[in-house]
Amino acid sequence: MAGLEVPTWDPETALIIGTILLEAVVLYVGYGVLERIFGARLMKLLMGGEENAQ
């Protein structure tokens, strides 16, 4: 019957997919940390202080 075969995984393809997923997680966490560290200061610098914030 068509469509009932189980696809075989190529180890190289699985490694590439795993690497891309790991990179995405690292970037997500890394940018989150940078935003926590520099986000408030950067917004304050760009907006000119609290009195100009909306």
Side-chain angles (χ1 to χ4, degrees):
M1 296 184 125
L4 296 179
E5 332 48 68
V6 176
T8 59
W9 276 91
D10 180 22
E12 188 174 330
T13 303
L15 182 63
I16 290 171
I17 292 171
T19 302
I20 291 170
L21 288 174
L22 179 63
E23 181 181 2
V25 169
V26 168
L27 288 173
Y28 181 78
V29 171
Y31 284 131
V33 169
L34 288 175
E35 195 276 328
R36 280 185 175 258
I37 293 172
F38 297 111
R41 285 184 241 167
L42 183 61
M43 287 305 294
K44 194 172 194 180
L45 176 69
L46 292 173
M47 298 298 289
E50 290 293 321
E51 62 276 356
N52 294 334
Q54 294 181 0

